Amino acid sequence: MLFNPRPKTRKDEFYDREFELMTLERAVEKKVGLVIVLGIRRLGKSSLVNVFLNESPYPGIRIDARQLYFQHKSVSPNALAKEILEGLIRISGIEKVKQLISGIRGVSFMGLSVEIKREHATLTEILERINEFGRFVLVIDEAQYLRFSKASYVDMLAWAIDELENVTFILTGSEVGLLEDLLRLHSPESPLFGRPYVEIKLERFSREQSLDFLKKGSEEVGIEVTPDELYEAVEELDGIVGWLTLYGYNRFLGLGHREALGRLKEDAVKIVLSEFSKLKEISPRYELIMRIVARGRHSWSEIKRSLEVIEGKKIDDRNFTNLLKNLVKYGYLEKTGEGYFIPDPLVEEAFR
Ligand SMILES: Nc1ncnc2c1ncn2[C@@H]1O[C@H](COP(=O)(O)OP(=O)(O)OP(=O)(O)O)[C@@H](O)[C@H]1O
Ligand SMILES: [Mg+2]
């Protein structure tokens, strides 16, 4: 079902993105070592890589670095190694995995779960074994969370890209600027500098795609939606497929147009504010800036002036610029020639 609200895994539930799927396919086929999938939240990065893995003739698994971080407050090499082995068990069975890693010390199995006792080497040893076995795709979803580790994953990636010709790494990131900061692909000092890679930037759906998505999704589940309702939903949700899906899902559950949009907005505000809470903890100014932009101030100086009025004091230019830059890195603001904008209408709504 196109309106299934979970990240998609099956092609028949996945609308379009044909170009992106083909780009992934070609990159893996050509043994490109590194592919980066970028895009703000809810544009379908996880779904894209899931569907790709499902359709691809090459074996592969997806690891969610964001989830690992929220579980352990860091993303250690052992946690990654464990995830990789458990993923492999799911796709090839435990016996094959035991065979694959035979001789690597410090790994034990408890049913279908894996325990890793030894520090260091294990992760690279496992990757070497995978490489010997044949072509393999390792997706690290929300890879900017790899920065929460004592290990230097960028060095490890550079090593893997040079040495493991059978493995393609696909890294996704919704906090686009943070992932770029971590990889520094264009910086001569970065271990990854000069390595070939393919970048895919997921964009919002166009108006036509959004309308078509809602139309096809409604037809699929047999609900009546009028053209006016479709236009209004697309107008309000602006090509963000995650929100279009939730609107459609609410309609599928039996809500009318107004209620479906209303419920979606209520839920979206809660989701967005909860996602934002970690930034708010770092500095309450992040939230104030978002509120100022959501209420229609967009230029550097207008936003700064409003923040100074709220706080009743002058703010250092450099500090202020850093706050804005960080909001851009996290994907909450986009910088254009006209100033700073919130790229997602429901994020804007949450701060209004
Ligand atoms: N091409 C698509 N066709 C149909 N539904 C989609 C498509 N892409 C994404 N979705 C739906 O949109 C929602 C968000 O998708 P997904 O979780 O894959 O996005 P994401 O970019 O990984 O988001 P996040 O940044 O929050 O991790 C899900 O409900 C998913 O089912
Ligand atoms: Mg995702």
Side-chain angles (χ1 to χ4, degrees), residues 2 4-8 13-17 39-48 66 141-142 174 202 205 213 241-243 245-246 275:
L2 285 173
N4 171 2
R6 294 227 166 85
K8 303 298 198 291
E13 293 193 324
F14 190 62
Y15 179 84
D16 198 346
R17 301 293 194 206
I40 58 168
R41 297 207 66 163
R42 286 169 279 270
L43 288 188
K45 298 172 297 298
S46 302
S47 299
L48 175 73
R66 180 167 64 197
D141 207 0
E142 300 298 342
S174 52
L202 274 193
F205 281 167
F213 172 75
V241 61
W243 298 139
T245 303
L246 285 181
E275 289 166 356

Side-chain angles (χ1 to χ4, degrees), residues 85-110:
L85 291 179
E86 289 176 354
L88 281 174
I89 292 173
R90 278 195 299 278
I91 61 169
S92 348
I94 189 141
E95 287 314 317
K96 274 230 171 100
V97 174
K98 281 185 174 163
Q99 222 177 328
L100 178 88
I101 62 152
S102 74
I104 299 184
R105 287 180 299 120
V107 182
S108 55
F109 297 87
M110 294 257 292

